[in-house]
Amino acid sequence: MMKDEELVKLMADCVELANDDDIKILKDMLTGMKQKLENKRGTYIEPLLQMKRQINSDTYELTVPVTPLINNNLDIVHGGVTATIIDTAMGMMAVNSLPEGYAAVTTQLNIHYLAPGIGNELTCKAHFVHKGTKTMVLESDVFRDDGKKIAHATGSFFVIKK
């Protein structure tokens, strides 16, 4: 019961100190956590970043809204968040191509940051360069909603048995 009281106090303190942007972020975070707890999402990061995905036969697209939660102190998307979006898109493309009982894990990720992540949303488009039975290589580009490419990446993945 003590933890519940601490959580309620912490929540009340945060709400009291928060401005309108902080309240929106807090709501988004709690909504994401609820989706995960209700088994509507597989991980915490996907709902936290409000990832929307679109799978085609040869590409995997992942779109994320640009919010203060993912911005750095320069008010642009943090490079680590861009890396997370890239790794998630390429990793999900790899995993979705595998038969039941197999997974893919990142072994190398190389990112070239080309422009600041600003605007309303970012979209990462991933595709295969090589699809083997033991290793895969993927490539992706991240675009702002104005069409400007902000990052180009390649990634290598090992295929593993679950």
Side-chain angles (χ1 to χ4, degrees):
M1 191 59 103
M2 184 61 163
K3 286 183 183 179
D4 292 342
E5 291 171 11
E6 290 174 18
L7 180 59
V8 169
K9 173 147 179 28
L10 177 60
M11 184 70 70
D13 290 347
C14 287
V15 170
E16 179 68 28
L17 296 168
N19 63 30
D20 289 344
D21 285 339
D22 299 328
I23 293 293
K24 182 176 180 342
I25 290 170
L26 185 58
K27 283 181 183 178
D28 289 347
M29 290 171 64
L30 291 171
T31 299
M33 179 154 197
K34 184 178 178 198
Q35 289 174 351
K36 169 64 172 111
L37 295 172
E38 293 173 343
N39 294 317
K40 292 180 182 174
R41 301 289 187 117
T43 66
Y44 288 107
I45 197 75
E46 185 182 349
L48 179 65
L49 297 183
Q50 302 174 49
M51 294 177 174
K52 293 178 192 153
R53 51 192 162 167
Q54 182 177 355
I55 304 167
N56 300 313
S57 60
D58 59 346
T59 62
Y60 188 99
E61 287 187 24
L62 191 63
T63 301
V64 175
V66 174
T67 68
L69 175 66
I70 66 173
N71 284 347
N72 62 20
N73 60 356
L74 299 174
D75 208 27
I76 60 176
V77 175
H78 188 286
V81 173
T82 302
T84 298
I85 295 165
I86 289 166
D87 189 44
T88 302
M90 290 193 296
M92 291 305 297
M93 176 108 190
V95 167
N96 285 335
S97 75
L98 294 170
E100 187 72 31
Y102 289 87
V105 294
T106 309
T107 59
Q108 185 272 333
L109 189 60
N110 185 28
I111 304 170
H112 298 274
Y113 296 94
L114 308 172
I118 56 173
N120 295 315
E121 64 183 24
L122 299 179
T123 299
C124 181
K125 298 178 181 184
H127 65 272
F128 282 105
V129 173
H130 164 76
K131 184 179 169 200
T133 57
K134 296 182 184 193
T135 63
M136 297 182 195
V137 177
L138 287 94
E139 187 173 53
S140 69
D141 293 305
V142 182
F143 299 91
R144 303 187 309 211
D145 53 340
D146 67 0
K148 178 85 170 168
K149 186 189 298 189
I150 70 154
H152 174 79
T154 56
S156 300
F157 296 81
F158 275 142
V159 177
I160 61 170
K161 194 166 176 81
K162 288 186 186 177

